[in-house]
Amino acid sequence: MTVEEFIQKAISAEELLNEMARKLSSTQMPEFSSEPIGVEDASKLIGIPETSIRAGILNGWLPIGVALHNGKQVSGSYRGRVSFIIYPKKIWELTGHVWRGKEKLRCSENP
């Protein structure tokens, strides 16, 4: 590869990155349902098992919410009773799925 070819490829790559950055910056945040989303609903929305949702939140590899025990945040292989708070915006940022409420979720399951 010559220096001129290398420079041309670098310029093309930079143009591509600039175009991608422009498109990403113009992406508007969707409107989410104000209805709370539970583990079961998140599982259906994202398409992964409920156990994976729980394990992912507890172990930090699925950062879409927090796990709580007696009002305190817990993580790792916690053995007590745990409640989960799931954030629709985090789901959207990570997966592109938009939480529009239980009714919309049921409609998309039974077209």
Side-chain angles (χ1 to χ4, degrees):
M1 175 184 302
T2 67
V3 172
E4 289 82 15
E5 290 172 331
F6 179 79
I7 291 171
Q8 190 58 42
K9 282 189 176 186
I11 290 171
S12 295
E14 183 179 5
E15 289 172 351
L16 175 64
L17 289 173
N18 286 337
E19 178 66 15
M20 289 173 62
R22 185 187 65 74
K23 286 184 178 181
L24 287 173
S25 67
S26 67
T27 302
Q28 290 187 344
M29 188 180 317
E31 188 173 319
F32 305 107
S33 171
S34 60
E35 183 179 0
I37 181 169
V39 172
E40 180 182 356
D41 297 325
S43 170
K44 290 175 184 174
L45 181 65
I46 299 171
I48 61 175
E50 292 177 35
T51 53
S52 295
I53 299 283
R54 290 184 187 96
I57 292 172
L58 277 167
N59 294 300
W61 52 262
L62 187 61
I64 61 169
V66 294
L68 303 172
H69 175 74
N70 292 333
K72 294 183 181 178
Q73 189 169 344
V74 295
S75 62
S77 56
Y78 191 80
R79 296 278 182 217
R81 183 161 175 80
V82 178
S83 299
F84 292 88
I85 298 175
I86 298 174
Y87 305 111
K89 182 181 175 197
K90 293 287 188 184
I91 292 176
W92 173 70
E93 290 172 345
L94 193 64
T95 69
H97 295 286
V98 178
W99 173 242
R100 300 197 190 280
K102 285 183 185 284
E103 192 60 39
K104 297 279 186 180
L105 187 61
R106 282 190 209 105
C107 291
S108 66
E109 289 175 349
N110 303 315

